[in-house]
Amino acid sequence: SLLQLKLWNKYRVSNIPSLIFIDAISGKVVCRNGLLVIRDDPEGLEFPWGPKPFSEVVAGPLLRNNGQTLDSSALEGSHVGVYFSAHWCPPCRSLTRVLVESYRKIKEAGQKFEILFVSADRSEDSFKQYFSEMPWVAVPYADEARRSRLNRLYGIQGIPTLIVLDAKGEVITRQGRVEVLNDVECREFPWHPKPVLELTDSNAVQLNEGPCLVLFVDSEDDGESEAAKQLIQPIAEKIIAKYKAKEEEA
């Protein structure tokens, strides 16, 4: 029915089973990953499972691949890329190669930036092998509870996923993967979402995230695509501002 379709779209459900908790009064999403919640907290001790700040969820020791540990408080004041990835997943490995270069460029430009690897590897050994290629920090593989809490916090439904946070731990974009692949020189870092994008192979994934308007133009040569962009840019900005005012995702 139409109502069912509306609910699927409203909550951006892309696979089933999916369990989403909402606040009955405000209608806001409390938690996207209800299935992980009931697996991790069968007694309901953490009810009502509302979103906690990143700094609280990540709290504890983090690893470097040389075996050094540091406290998660070291991330404070930096932009952070929370990187959900695993060695067994080919798209993850190819993104990691690009990301290592991006990380180096951003750091060399003097930006405060750190990446936190949250592994979905199937064993400690494959985690260690994969992490040995990464110049950033990771949640210890053995700390399954913290890895799972980070998955829950961002409602991760597939990997690779790169969530980019500002220095306060608020989400700038969930589409870090697309941004990194589209901006190899990292000129747009920290990748605040643009209201209008040119449709490419790598950002087409966003068509699954929610309602999109796709405008086709006849030809590139006579400036038509620029004119089209100028036509829809103010409309897109207005829609984004409307959702921002409601503190909802557009």
Side-chain angles (χ1 to χ4, degrees):
S1 76
L2 190 60
L3 177 61
Q4 282 171 318
L5 194 61
K6 274 185 174 168
L7 287 168
W8 278 71
N9 286 339
K10 181 174 172 63
Y11 297 116
R12 299 204 313 272
V13 174
S14 56
N15 50 17
I16 54 171
S18 228
L19 176 61
I20 295 168
F21 294 115
I22 58 172
D23 179 314
I25 295 162
S26 68
K28 284 198 176 136
V29 172
V30 174
C31 171
R32 286 197 175 282
N33 261 11
L35 295 171
L36 275 184
V37 167
I38 53 178
R39 191 197 74 188
D40 292 353
D41 183 22
E43 306 288 310
L45 302 176
E46 291 178 40
F47 181 82
W49 306 303
K52 295 184 167 79
F54 169 70
S55 57
E56 190 182 318
V57 176
V58 79
L62 302 176
L63 291 179
R64 289 205 175 277
N65 66 12
N66 60 6
Q68 273 185 318
T69 62
L70 68 160
D71 189 75
S72 57
S73 58
L75 299 175
E76 282 166 24
S78 290
H79 282 80
V80 177
V82 191
Y83 183 37
F84 297 86
S85 186
H87 190 259
W88 52 262
C89 147
C92 290
R93 292 199 300 274
S94 54
L95 178 60
T96 297
R97 285 193 288 276
V98 178
L99 201 50
V100 167
E101 285 306 301
S102 303
Y103 178 75
R104 193 176 53 75
K105 283 175 188 155
I106 293 164
K107 300 282 263 193
E108 280 173 4
Q111 301 266 18
K112 292 189 81 174
F113 181 53
E114 196 47 79
I115 292 177
L116 174 67
F117 171 41
V118 184
S119 167
D121 287 293
R122 290 170 178 155
S123 72
E124 175 101 37
D125 283 346
S126 70
F127 161 75
K128 279 184 178 151
Q129 184 194 342
Y130 194 28
F131 187 39
S132 71
E133 303 163 20
M134 300 178 182
W136 44 75
V137 298
V139 177
Y141 185 78
D143 195 343
E144 203 176 325
R146 196 163 26 140
R147 289 191 289 123
S148 189
R149 281 199 298 272
L150 284 158
N151 271 279
R152 262 163 49 191
L153 179 63
Y154 298 115
I156 301 303
Q157 297 196 341
I159 54 172
T161 294
L162 179 67
I163 310 260
V164 182
L165 310 178
D166 66 16
K168 293 190 183 118
E170 301 288 330
V171 174
I172 292 177
T173 178
R174 300 175 58 87
Q175 300 291 341
R177 175 193 186 183
V178 172
E179 298 293 355
V180 164
L181 296 176
N182 279 351
D183 179 26
V184 178
E185 292 304 313
C186 307
R187 290 200 180 97
E188 307 278 334
F189 176 83
W191 302 301
H192 287 279
K194 293 189 189 70
V196 179
L197 289 173
E198 196 161 313
L199 191 57
T200 62
D201 285 355
S202 58
N203 66 27
V205 62
Q206 283 172 253
L207 297 174
N208 298 327
E209 290 273 303
C212 295
L213 172 69
V214 182
L215 181 60
F216 292 94
V217 291
D218 281 343
S219 92
E220 189 60 23
D221 316 330
D222 45 16
E224 253 191 67
S225 74
E226 198 42 53
K229 212 178 210 174
Q230 285 173 7
L231 174 72
I232 57 178
Q233 182 85 17
I235 301 167
E237 282 170 1
K238 211 150 116 189
I239 291 168
I240 285 175
K242 186 181 98 180
Y243 280 93
K244 213 170 191 160
K246 290 199 279 187
E247 291 184 9
E248 282 180 20
E249 282 186 61

